[in-house]
Amino acid sequence: QVRLVESGGGLVQPGGSLRLSCAASGSIFSISTMAWYRQAPGKERELVADITSDGTTKHVDSVKGRFTVSRDSAKNTMYLEMNSLKPEDTAVYYCNVLVRGIGVTSYWGKGTQVTVSS
């Protein structure tokens, strides 16, 4: 089994910055894509950014130029650098990883709260 632990969330003023981390541990032999999702109250969970095993990244339009996803494959850790935060970025941010075994299995972390407010 795979365990994912997100960290780095908190309360920040508009325009501020936060860096989220997702550390994966457990029965991991091959991690494919790692991704950050977020979910605000009353809204569906949305993909924020993802990064493939070869380092290719993708960011949702609303965060392009402000957020940067990266990973350290040797440490099985993914990061999300968030700058110029806006109130609409307020959400629970979740880590997701795809692990290759017999097939491909998706795992989720429990999330970390990000609140952007003055």
Side-chain angles (χ1 to χ4, degrees):
Q1 298 298 319
V2 174
R3 181 173 67 96
L4 303 176
V5 179
E6 301 100 333
S7 62
L11 175 64
V12 64
Q13 293 185 342
S17 299
L18 286 173
R19 191 189 194 207
L20 305 183
S21 298
C22 172
S25 62
S27 301
I28 301 174
F29 295 95
S30 180
I31 294 179
S32 182
T33 302
M34 302 185 75
W36 287 103
Y37 288 76
R38 67 185 180 187
Q39 187 167 23
K43 296 184 178 180
E44 295 183 0
R45 188 171 299 185
E46 67 170 344
L47 176 66
V48 177
D50 60 29
I51 183 167
T52 65
S53 59
D54 68 355
T56 301
T57 63
K58 180 174 64 180
H59 301 78
V60 70
D61 288 345
S62 61
V63 308
K64 286 182 178 178
R66 300 188 298 119
F67 292 10
T68 303
V69 64
S70 62
R71 69 189 288 177
D72 184 337
S73 295
K75 297 180 179 179
N76 290 322
T77 301
M78 175 179 63
Y79 307 93
L80 185 66
E81 183 71 35
M82 304 186 295
N83 300 309
S84 301
L85 283 161
K86 304 175 180 179
E88 49 263 48
D89 295 319
T90 296
V92 177
Y93 284 70
Y94 297 91
C95 177
N96 174 265
V97 302
L98 299 180
V99 179
R100 296 189 182 278
I102 301 300
V104 178
T105 304
S106 177
Y107 294 91
W108 292 91
K110 294 184 177 180
T112 185
Q113 177 72 49
V114 172
T115 302
V116 184
S117 176
S118 59

